[in-house]
Amino acid sequence: MSLSTFVTILMDQQLLSSIFIFLLLLKSSYQLSNDLLLFSGDVSLYEFLRQYCQTYRNRPQSILLLIDNLLDSNQKVNNTKTIKIHLQKENCNFDYQSNLNITQIETIYQLNPIEFHFKRILVIVDLNEHSLNHSILIIIYQLYEFYKNVHQLILITDNSFDHVHSVLIENYKNLSSEFRFTVWLRPIDRVIHFRPILYGCMEYHGIYVPSNSSEYDKLKVSYQKCNLQSTKLNVTIINYFPFCSFYNDTNGTIHTRPSVEIFLLQLLERRLNFTANLINANQVWGRLVNGRWFGAIGEVVEHRAHFGMCCFTRSVIREKVVDFTNSIYHDEITFISRWLALFTGSMDDLYKWTLPFAPNEGNSMAMRRLDLIMVSHFNRPFQTLHLHPVINGCLHFQGIYWPKSENDYQRLKVHFTKCDLGSMVVNVSVNHFMPYCHIERDKDGKLTARYSMEIQLLRLFAERYNFRYNLIDANQQWGMIVNGTWTGAIGQVVYGVSNMAICGIIRTEERYRSVDISRHTMKHGLACMTQSPEPITYNWVIIHTLSTLLTITDFEPSVDTAEQFIEAINTDRYDLLVMKHSSTYERIIHSEPNNMIFYSAAKQLNRTRKPQLTNTADQIYRVVQNRRNMVISHRTFLAYNRKYLTNKPLHVGKEDLFQDSTGVVLRHRSSMLYPFNHM
């Protein structure tokens, strides 16, 4: 059943209860064939196995695993194989292992985990002459953990009743509360149950020794006839309509409202005979922090709650610590790109209610993520008000938009590929960074853009989407976080000084958290640059019959590969220089030891403490001035500027140290992201 069906009948509690009863009965009838036999001890184990084999001989959904002599040391004992012989006589299908330790059992499981994961397993461990003790119980618990679908674990021992009973009492508190098994005392044909399930679903926290037919019957009740005997169960819930709705009164008591899973909980209370004590999980379904679970999952894991409700989703990490029931309904997960709110008052009332969210001096950026409010009037046509909508395909309307004519509605329907910004002025953060952006200042201090790659791209954007641009100088800073505040071009976009930023801005994970970046406009390799290797002359005198002067010319080694770069940095053969407030500088100072290129660079910067570059042209000039200097930058930048800024031969490494890509930087959820990506 889909969620929409539930919501449709949400207010009809009687109908909803009837549907849940039908679903539970349907599920019960479906699972009836999976209601496996349990050994309670009212008959001998041999008789139980005869019944089990007859019932499940042709049912592949169940597995019987027999282990003879579970070892807690290398010492072996006599193996009577009585159970194995009995199963063979009954023509029973079973898996057999003998004289195993826990490591061997784990290996067998890992060879075919899928086979064991999807089937119900009856495990029988015959200890033969082994004495039941603490180490044996620990091994059995580990076995119980391997086989998650064990529906019953039976231990067979020749020990006395008093010995087994005392061992179980001594170890009761040290074993997991989820660990349950049955011990069959072969010499006297008697059973002891460790934490069994009574009445079909009630956990018995203790050691249960049935002695009459009534006590055996409690063990044999099917889960379909579960009776919790008016037990009070702690149930952790979350206020999440339409699944769960409740409120707390002044005393902190939880009072429920009609909602989907609250109806289900009330039905379960009546059907399974228990009373729910509700615990508020405070809007936290489950969060794992430093190995400990918090929220509703944590309440269940730490046994403060028996179960949790209210739209819990299965996940791999959650299923490691808790069990989930079969799905009670299915729903699709989607995303909301615009905020929708129902309102039934007048349009004038709604306009007044919306007005505080509109831009003003104090909060012009505060509510940009709330886009649409719907107003519905029953029995008459609906109207709408839009808060900060996108109109004309890409224009972010700063205010309350109240469409009244067909033309007003059409402006909301324009596709982003037909974006029209209506000749508005867009502030663009730039840095002089050839060959990407050629920026100059005229005599009045005004920025002027010259022909260059990203300036041409900006002009193409402006022509295509009908806007004018105003250049804002980012002062040779691309952007990094300093004391929690973004600097440079990224900071200007984040804090609303500009609408977008260009000029060789690299995509990094940290920047993605604060801004949106378009698809890459170009890709770059990160390279190093030094002065070209100079010749080194060696003079040798060879004395033979005549004196001869031999001159040998060699060249100092160049830096071309990542290994050569790391060696040159680690030996301080070169002094590394990096453009401050750039992505390269950011990657270096935040590098980890597993990235040897950036980590070696970071160590040298810490050693030398040399001031880093603040002007892009200095990357070329500083290498020209001193042959010990080496810079890292975009290969395109280095190859272009070594040709146009100096006549001195400079060497750019042949191997890329890293691959980067540049894009246009925009505010989060900017209306221009789609148009720029689909240019």
Side-chain angles (χ1 to χ4, degrees):
M1 180 174 289
S2 69
L3 178 61
S4 60
T5 308
F6 279 120
V7 174
T8 303
I9 61 175
L10 184 59
M11 302 311 296
D12 192 339
Q13 183 173 1
Q14 183 177 0
L15 178 58
L16 185 61
S17 299
S18 301
I19 288 175
F20 274 126
I21 291 173
F22 169 75
L23 291 175
L24 288 173
L25 291 175
L26 182 63
K27 182 182 292 185
S28 297
S29 64
Y30 169 75
Q31 292 184 335
L32 187 58
S33 61
N34 294 329
D35 194 6
L36 298 177
L37 292 175
L38 294 174
F39 176 55
S40 62
D42 59 337
V43 298
S44 72
L45 181 62
Y46 297 114
E47 175 61 22
F48 166 77
L49 291 176
R50 186 187 66 79
Q51 296 175 10
Y52 182 92
C53 293
Q54 288 180 354
T55 304
Y56 298 106
R57 181 173 289 120
N58 298 318
R59 296 187 183 179
Q61 73 269 27
S62 62
I63 297 176
L64 195 161
L65 174 62
L66 173 61
I67 300 176
D68 260 330
N69 291 342
L70 187 63
L71 305 181
D72 61 341
S73 64
N74 293 325
Q75 181 181 2
K76 296 184 179 180
V77 298
N78 293 328
N79 188 350
T80 60
K81 299 184 180 179
T82 56
I83 301 298
K84 178 182 179 182
I85 294 171
H86 179 77
L87 292 173
Q88 289 172 337
K89 286 182 178 179
E90 294 294 337
N91 193 25
C92 192
N93 296 322
F94 65 97
D95 290 345
Y96 179 74
Q97 303 292 337
S98 64
N99 296 317
L100 297 180
N101 57 36
I102 192 62
T103 304
Q104 293 168 320
I105 292 174
E106 182 178 7
T107 302
I108 292 170
Y109 173 77
Q110 291 174 345
L111 289 175
N112 197 1
I114 297 179
E115 174 74 13
F116 294 112
H117 184 76
F118 292 104
K119 296 185 178 182
R120 302 297 299 275
I121 309 170
L122 171 62
V123 180
I124 301 176
V125 179
D126 193 341
L127 299 180
N128 289 294
E129 297 178 6
H130 265 296
S131 177
L132 185 65
N133 54 43
H134 174 74
S135 60
I136 286 288
L137 287 176
I138 294 300
I139 294 174
I140 292 171
Y141 173 67
Q142 291 175 306
L143 180 146
Y144 188 82
E145 283 288 284
F146 290 148
Y147 301 101
K148 297 294 185 183
N149 287 345
V150 172
H151 83 274
Q152 189 171 18
L153 174 61
I154 302 173
L155 304 183
I156 303 175
T157 179
D158 295 328
N159 299 153
S160 67
F161 176 89
D162 291 339
H163 171 76
V164 173
H165 194 263
S166 63
V167 169
L168 296 181
I169 290 176
E170 290 172 4
N171 289 275
Y172 179 80
K173 292 184 178 179
N174 298 326
L175 296 173
S176 169
S177 61
E178 301 168 359
F179 185 31
R180 57 180 57 89
F181 56 89
T182 300
V183 181
W184 182 54
L185 306 169
R186 180 164 30 206
I188 60 175
D189 191 16
R190 194 173 179 185
V191 294
I192 301 176
H193 295 274
F194 191 84
R195 292 196 183 97
I197 301 295
L198 306 182
Y199 302 109
C201 56
M202 189 169 73
E203 295 180 343
Y204 182 86
H205 295 289
I207 298 167
Y208 188 75
V209 184
S211 58
N212 55 52
S213 59
S214 175
E215 292 175 346
Y216 285 116
D217 288 343
K218 294 177 183 178
L219 291 161
K220 294 191 289 184
V221 176
S222 169
Y223 68 85
Q224 299 172 44
K225 298 180 180 179
C226 166
N227 186 347
L228 289 170
Q229 305 289 308
S230 300
T231 305
K232 180 177 284 188
L233 299 183
N234 293 330
V235 183
T236 179
I237 60 176
I238 292 171
N239 214 345
Y240 191 52
F241 188 83
F243 306 99
C244 291
S245 180
F246 61 87
Y247 66 94
N248 292 82
D249 61 19
T250 54
N251 298 322
T253 305
I254 295 177
H255 298 274
T256 61
R257 297 188 181 99
S259 44
V260 174
E261 293 195 37
I262 294 301
F263 290 156
L264 175 59
L265 177 60
Q266 293 167 353
L267 175 63
L268 291 174
E269 285 181 299
R270 296 194 300 272
R271 178 77 181 264
L272 306 181
N273 189 16
F274 70 92
T275 303
N277 175 44
L278 302 180
I279 300 174
N280 191 347
N282 298 313
Q283 301 306 108
V284 180
W285 279 264
R287 186 173 69 249
L288 185 61
V289 180
N290 297 326
R292 182 182 177 188
W293 280 95
F294 290 86
I297 299 290
E299 297 289 330
V300 175
V301 168
E302 299 187 4
H303 298 175
R304 291 188 294 271
H306 292 89
F307 63 93
M309 298 186 72
C310 303
C311 199
F312 276 91
T313 304
R314 307 167 76 102
S315 70
V316 174
I317 191 170
R318 289 177 177 178
E319 287 187 324
K320 291 180 181 178
V321 293
V322 296
D323 285 336
F324 286 85
T325 65
N326 290 345
S327 301
I328 56 177
Y329 46 71
H330 298 277
D331 195 13
E332 295 179 350
I333 293 180
T334 184
F335 63 90
I336 293 177
S337 61
R338 292 184 291 178
W339 184 60
L340 309 178
L342 295 177
F343 193 90
T344 57
S346 68
M347 291 298 286
D348 290 336
D349 290 340
L350 178 61
Y351 191 87
K352 293 175 183 177
W353 181 83
T354 313
L355 199 57
F357 300 122
N360 56 47
E361 290 185 19
N363 69 344
S364 60
M365 292 288 292
M367 304 301 290
R368 280 188 178 162
R369 296 185 181 181
L370 307 181
D371 295 310
L372 173 64
I373 296 176
M374 294 184 63
V375 185
S376 180
H377 297 273
F378 295 106
N379 301 321
R380 64 177 187 262
F382 70 87
Q383 292 179 290
T384 59
L385 283 184
H386 299 259
L387 183 61
H388 310 307
V390 174
I391 61 175
N392 297 338
C394 57
L395 180 61
H396 208 145
F397 186 87
Q398 298 300 313
I400 304 168
Y401 188 76
W402 186 350
K404 298 179 181 180
S405 66
E406 180 63 27
N407 185 53
D408 292 339
Y409 284 108
Q410 287 301 324
R411 297 180 71 188
L412 291 164
K413 298 177 183 179
V414 177
H415 195 264
F416 64 82
T417 55
K418 298 180 179 179
C419 164
D420 185 353
L421 290 174
S423 300
M424 69 173 291
V425 176
V426 174
N427 291 327
V428 183
S429 292
V430 294
N431 283 303
H432 178 71
F433 189 40
M434 287 294 289
Y436 310 104
C437 290
H438 186 178
I439 307 297
E440 295 179 351
R441 285 190 181 274
D442 59 21
K443 59 182 180 180
D444 298 324
K446 184 180 178 180
L447 294 182
T448 303
R450 303 297 184 191
Y451 184 88
S452 44
M453 290 191 291
E454 292 198 37
I455 294 301
Q456 290 302 106
L457 182 62
L458 176 62
R459 290 170 178 166
L460 182 62
F461 280 146
E463 179 182 347
R464 173 74 178 270
Y465 299 128
N466 189 20
F467 68 88
R468 294 170 293 147
Y469 52 85
N470 174 45
L471 302 180
I472 297 178
D473 192 356
N475 299 311
Q476 297 300 107
Q477 297 185 26
W478 281 258
M480 63 183 297
I481 296 179
V482 178
N483 297 325
T485 302
W486 276 101
T487 64
I490 300 292
Q492 290 176 342
V493 174
V494 168
Y495 303 119
V497 177
S498 59
N499 303 100
M500 56 185 284
I502 59 172
C503 301
I505 297 185
I506 298 297
R507 305 149 66 100
T508 67
E509 183 178 347
E510 193 169 37
R511 290 174 177 177
Y512 263 125
R513 297 192 188 108
S514 301
V515 294
D516 281 341
I517 302 180
S518 70
R519 291 178 182 174
H520 60 264
T521 54
M522 57 192 75
K523 291 186 177 181
H524 313 271
L526 196 66
C528 61
M529 184 176 69
T530 60
Q531 288 191 16
S532 295
E534 290 188 345
I536 304 173
T537 301
Y538 301 95
N539 294 324
W540 295 78
V541 177
I542 300 178
I543 302 176
H544 192 30
T545 54
L546 296 173
S547 296
T548 304
L549 181 65
L550 177 64
T551 301
I552 300 177
T553 301
D554 197 2
F555 290 87
E556 61 182 358
S558 60
V559 180
D560 282 307
T561 66
E563 290 78 8
Q564 292 169 347
F565 172 80
I566 294 171
E567 185 274 334
I569 292 300
N570 288 338
T571 59
D572 290 334
R573 184 155 60 93
Y574 286 98
D575 291 333
L576 184 64
L577 299 175
V578 185
M579 189 70 191
K580 203 168 183 179
H581 300 288
S582 67
S583 61
T584 305
Y585 185 75
E586 180 184 325
R587 286 197 173 101
I588 289 174
I589 63 175
H590 294 301
S591 60
E592 299 290 340
N594 57 355
N595 189 327
M596 287 303 298
I597 294 175
F598 291 132
Y599 191 67
S600 299
K603 288 197 297 184
Q604 199 207 56
L605 292 184
N606 286 332
R607 283 197 309 270
T608 60
R609 299 288 180 182
K610 287 197 171 185
Q612 296 307 304
L613 307 175
T614 57
N615 187 286
T616 54
D618 284 345
Q619 296 179 83
I620 307 299
Y621 298 144
R622 293 283 290 277
V623 173
V624 171
Q625 292 168 2
N626 188 343
R627 48 181 314 102
R628 276 186 56 84
N629 289 339
M630 179 198 311
V631 299
I632 308 179
S633 191
H634 303 164
R635 178 177 297 279
T636 307
F637 167 83
L638 296 177
Y640 177 87
N641 286 284
R642 70 171 176 176
K643 180 177 181 180
Y644 288 98
L645 294 182
T646 180
N647 293 324
K648 190 164 187 175
L650 301 178
H651 179 77
V652 177
K654 297 178 181 178
E655 181 179 294
D656 288 340
L657 305 179
F658 192 76
Q659 281 289 328
D660 269 331
S661 60
T662 59
V664 178
V665 174
L666 302 155
R667 279 193 290 260
H668 268 324
R669 303 193 182 188
S670 170
S671 56
M672 291 298 298
L673 182 62
Y674 281 131
F676 280 17
N677 280 340
H678 294 80
M679 178 66 173

